[in-house]
Structure formats: C-alpha cells, structure tokens
C-alpha cells in the first residue's frame, strides 16, 4: 500500500516538474510570446519605408530645384536671347485658336483686317475698327472702304499693345469697343514676330513697324487728329515713336500712356514676379543681357524730347508695372522743358476699383478723361 502511494507521489511530482519550465525554457517562452507575427512586422516596415522614400524624393526635388535656380542666371548670361524672349513674350499667343483674319469672331463686326509691309521680309497684321456710328455702313465693306473711312471727321487712335498675346487679346478687344463707342477710329497691329505677323522681334523693329503704320494712317486721315496710345511694353514703343516724330517735326496730336514704366531695367528690377531680384549680381546676370540685346525702352529719356500733350493712366493695384514707376515717369515729364507748352496729366485709379494692369477700359470716367 505504501509503495503504491509513493509511486503515485513520484508520478505527481514528475508531472508538476514537466509543467514548470526551466530557466532556459522560461526565456525562450518569453521571447516567443513577445515576438510579433510576420504580417504585423511587415506592416510596420511599410510605413517606415514609405516615409523614408517620400523624404528621399522630396530632398531630391529640393536639390534639383535649387540647382536649376542657381543655373538659370548663368544660362541667361551666356544666352542673352533668352532674356529678350522673356521681355517680349511674343511666343505666348493668348487667346489660342482664334483666326486673326476674322476680327468679327471677337465681336468686332465693324473691323477690317489688313496686312502691311514695313520692310522686305516683314509683314504685319493690322486691325482697323471704325467708330460705332459707322457700324451699319461698314457691314460687308472691303479694305478700300475702310481706308477711305479714315478720312471721315473722326479722330484716330493708333493702339500699341504690350508684350504677350496678340491684337485679338480679350482686354484689348474690349478697349477697341469702348474707344469705338466714343467716336474714334482704332488702328492696332501685331509687331513683327507677334500673332500672324512675320519677322523677328526687336525694339528697333517694333518702333519701325509703329512708324510705318502711323505714316500709313496720316496718308489717309487728312487733317483728323491722330493720337497714339501705348499700354505696358507698348508705352516703350509709343515714346520711341513719338520722340522720332517730334524730331522730324510731325508730332501726333496727343500721347496716352497706360501703365507705363520708366525704363526696362527699372521695370525688370521692380517686377513683382521677378524671383531673382535679391539674387547676388542680379544686374549683371539679368539686366545687362537685356541691354546687350539692344532693349532699353527708355521712356524716362524719351519724354525729355517729346512735344505734344501727354496723358498717363495707371492703376494703384497694378501687379505687373508698379504704380510708383508711372508716377515717377510723370514727375520727369512734368518738369521737362519739352512739355512747357503742352498739357501733362496723370490720372491714378484707386486700388478699390480693381483695374489692376489691363482693365482701366472699365472705368466709367474714361470718356470724360479722354475728352
């Protein structure tokens, strides 16, 4: 009986000993209990991998952008033609997909499209919009009728547009309509290299194109007043033209400058979109190549040689040509001896009006100002 009890006790102790792990088994068991399943471990690796990959790509992009930012000034310095392209922006044709031969598609039913040839191998596209009072008579008429209409008793405005786009730009078309409704002939054109005009753009070429169109108008308008209106970059062409006309003693009846600058260097330095204006050597890298390309548009110099009435229009909230440049140009002109016998007027448009760079035509005061 005692042997049987002892055997039972021994078997019970063996079973208990087998159930309690030893030191080694205890550590292995603990590690097994702490070990994550393979799927969970893989799930943790993926977010870490994605974050690392995203940061790597972002760092690579930052380095690439920084490299481009540093390389562009050297590229512009080595290739001044790039800077000339950025000044003219003649390769930007907005709006797209319009037929410049059909101004009626832009709502100009009393407009005729011409092509003139200022020089050999140069052809420029011209629009002539007659006064609204002649709208009914103009329907279905040919170019000859429009040319003869310039001799009617209505003043003529030669409009010189700014960079980018074409003579069919939306804000330009709206201005033609306003001026036409006020009783003006409006003649505008695309400089060589713009729109459907043939030739390579340059300041000299743009000025010569404007001179050719002015002479073409004067040959047909008789004694009717002819005014020259320049906008933005077109103000540089306008003052170049009027200075030349005054030097040959055939000045226009008035000069209107909308959103003008003093000269192209100051405009480039003040342009809000210039991300390099604080770049070391900005003048050497960016402004000197403009001068090297023969681009000056020196309004501040030209106004010292102009002898006709001058009207300057500028919006205070202009984001392209800063307002202070237009005001500075006015101060130069107002104190110039060449204007001592002529009226010089500066008309600002308050920021609250929202006319910015190209919407002064919306002003209800414009008819009174022009009169």
């Amino acid at each position: 009986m005692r042997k049987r009890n002892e055997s039972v006790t021994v078997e019970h102790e063996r079973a208990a000993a087998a159930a309690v792990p030893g030191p080694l088994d205890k550590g292995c068991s603990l590690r097994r209990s702490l070990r994550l399943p393979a799927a969970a471990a893989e799930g943790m690796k993926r977010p870490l991998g994605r974050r690392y990959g995203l940061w790597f790509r972002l760092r690579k992009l930052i380095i690439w952008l920084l490299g481009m930012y540093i390389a562009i000034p050297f590229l512009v310095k080595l290739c001044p033609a790039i800077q000339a392209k950025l000044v003219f922006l003649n390769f930007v044709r907005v709006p797209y997909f319009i037929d410049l031969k059909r101004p009626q598609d832009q709502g100009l039913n009393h407009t005729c499209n011409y092509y003139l040839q200022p020089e050999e191998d140069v052809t420029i596209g011209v629009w002539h919009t007659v006064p609204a009072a002649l709208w009914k008579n103009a329907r279905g008429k040919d170019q000859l009728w429009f040319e003869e209409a310039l001799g009617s008793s209505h003043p003529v405005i030669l409009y010189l547009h700014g960079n980018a786009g074409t003579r069919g730009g939306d804000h330009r078309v709206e201005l033609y309509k306003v001026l036409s409704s006020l009783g003006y002939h409006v003649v505008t054109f695309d400089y060589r290299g713009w729109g459907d005009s043939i030739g390579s753009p340059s300041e000299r070429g743009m000025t010569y194109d404007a001179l050719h169109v002015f002479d073409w108008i004067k040959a047909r308008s008789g004694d009717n007043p002819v005014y020259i209106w320049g906008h933005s970059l077109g103000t540089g062409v306008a003052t170049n033209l009027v200075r030349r006309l005054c030097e040959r003693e055939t000045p226009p009846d008035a000069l209107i400058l909308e959103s003008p600058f003093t000269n192209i260097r100051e405009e480039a330095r003040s342009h809000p979109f210039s991300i390099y204006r604080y770049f070391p050597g900005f003048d050497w890298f960016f402004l000197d190549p403009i001068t090297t390309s023969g681009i000056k548009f020196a309004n501040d110099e030209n106004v010292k040689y102009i002898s006709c009435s001058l009207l300057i229009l500028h919006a205070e909230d202009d984001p392209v040509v800063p307002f202070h440049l237009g005001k500075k140009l006015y101060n130069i002109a107002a104190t110039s001896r060449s204007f001592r016998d002529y009226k010089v007027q500066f008309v600002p448009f308050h920021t609250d009006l929202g006319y910015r760079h190209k919407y002064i035509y919306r002003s209800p005061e414009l008819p009174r100002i022009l009169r």
Side-chain angles (χ1 to χ4, degrees):
M1 185 69 178
R2 185 178 297 172
K3 287 182 180 180
R4 184 181 176 185
N5 289 339
E6 288 176 357
S7 65
V8 170
T9 302
V10 171
E11 289 178 3
H12 179 72
E13 289 175 354
R14 285 177 181 171
V20 178
L24 184 60
D25 291 340
K26 188 183 293 184
C28 292
S29 173
L30 184 60
R31 282 195 295 271
R32 280 197 302 269
S33 65
L34 293 175
R35 189 179 299 157
L36 292 172
E42 185 66 25
M44 288 185 66
K45 288 179 182 177
R46 284 175 187 166
L48 290 173
R50 279 199 296 269
R51 283 197 292 270
Y52 178 77
L54 181 62
W55 166 243
F56 178 77
R57 287 194 293 269
L58 183 61
R59 186 175 61 179
K60 189 175 179 180
L61 177 62
I62 292 172
I63 293 172
W64 183 83
L65 290 175
L66 184 61
M68 287 295 295
Y69 180 79
I70 296 172
I72 285 175
F74 292 94
L75 187 62
V76 169
K77 185 65 179 179
L78 292 172
C79 304
I82 295 176
Q83 188 70 325
K85 289 279 188 183
L86 294 176
V87 171
F88 296 138
L89 290 178
N90 59 301
F91 56 89
V92 178
R93 180 169 174 168
V94 179
Y96 296 98
F97 310 120
I98 70 168
D99 186 355
L100 293 171
K101 296 182 179 67
R102 293 178 51 83
Q104 59 269 28
D105 292 347
Q106 310 306 308
L108 296 171
N109 296 320
H110 50 318
T111 299
C112 185
N113 180 67
Y114 309 145
Y115 289 98
L116 303 179
Q117 192 169 14
E119 294 179 313
E120 189 177 357
D121 300 326
V122 175
T123 303
I124 57 175
V126 181
W127 279 1
H128 172 199
T129 302
V130 296
L134 302 178
W135 180 81
K136 290 184 178 179
N137 295 334
R139 286 186 294 182
K141 297 298 193 299
D142 59 9
Q143 179 175 336
L144 181 60
W145 182 91
F146 275 83
E147 290 186 31
E148 291 176 348
L150 285 169
S152 63
S153 58
H154 294 274
V156 184
I157 289 180
L158 170 57
Y159 179 78
L160 305 172
H161 67 67
N163 65 355
T166 67
R167 61 190 184 275
D170 294 340
H171 65 282
R172 294 162 187 164
V173 169
E174 293 305 315
L175 177 63
Y176 310 155
K177 292 176 181 178
V178 170
L179 296 177
S180 173
S181 69
L182 297 177
Y184 296 97
H185 289 275
V186 182
V187 178
T188 187
F189 66 96
D190 280 319
Y191 316 105
R192 61 186 71 187
W194 271 260
D196 58 352
S197 297
I198 299 171
S200 299
S202 67
E203 181 176 352
R204 185 208 68 83
M206 296 164 72
T207 303
Y208 192 81
D209 293 344
L211 178 62
H212 182 81
V213 176
F214 178 84
D215 288 340
W216 179 87
I217 291 170
K218 289 297 289 183
R220 292 158 177 77
S221 61
D223 295 329
N224 294 330
V226 178
Y227 310 118
I228 293 174
W229 184 314
H231 173 244
S232 192
L233 189 67
T235 63
V237 182
T239 61
N240 281 349
L241 170 62
V242 177
R243 176 178 176 175
R244 190 162 177 174
L245 293 175
C246 291
E247 287 173 348
R248 75 177 194 185
E249 298 183 351
T250 58
D253 292 274
L255 171 62
I256 304 163
L257 301 178
E258 179 188 357
S259 305
F261 49 86
T262 47
N263 58 70
I264 199 64
R265 289 179 71 98
E266 285 198 358
E267 160 59 8
R269 188 181 294 114
S270 304
H271 200 292
F273 301 151
S274 175
I275 61 174
Y276 286 98
R277 80 179 91 170
Y278 303 114
F279 192 88
F282 175 78
D283 285 20
W284 188 78
F285 277 112
F286 291 95
L287 302 186
D288 291 350
I290 296 177
T291 306
T292 302
S293 300
I295 303 172
K296 297 179 180 178
F297 292 114
N299 290 336
D300 49 354
E301 282 298 312
N302 289 337
V303 294
K304 298 175 184 178
Y305 301 91
I306 289 175
S307 52
C308 68
S309 296
L310 172 64
L311 171 63
I312 296 178
L313 310 172
H314 213 135
E316 293 178 354
D317 59 338
D318 190 328
V320 178
V321 180
F323 178 78
H324 71 86
L325 291 185
K327 187 68 175 177
K328 182 178 179 180
L329 181 65
Y330 165 73
N331 291 333
I332 295 171
T335 57
S336 174
R337 288 186 299 173
S338 65
F339 283 104
R340 63 179 177 268
D341 297 325
Y342 299 95
K343 186 175 182 180
V344 179
Q345 187 177 3
F346 181 83
V347 180
F349 295 88
H350 196 272
T351 301
D352 293 343
L353 297 171
Y355 294 155
R356 297 172 67 80
H357 184 60
K358 55 187 181 183
Y359 301 113
I360 288 177
Y361 71 84
R362 294 176 178 173
S363 173
E365 295 295 313
L366 193 58
R368 180 191 60 79
I369 293 168
L370 294 179
R371 279 197 299 269

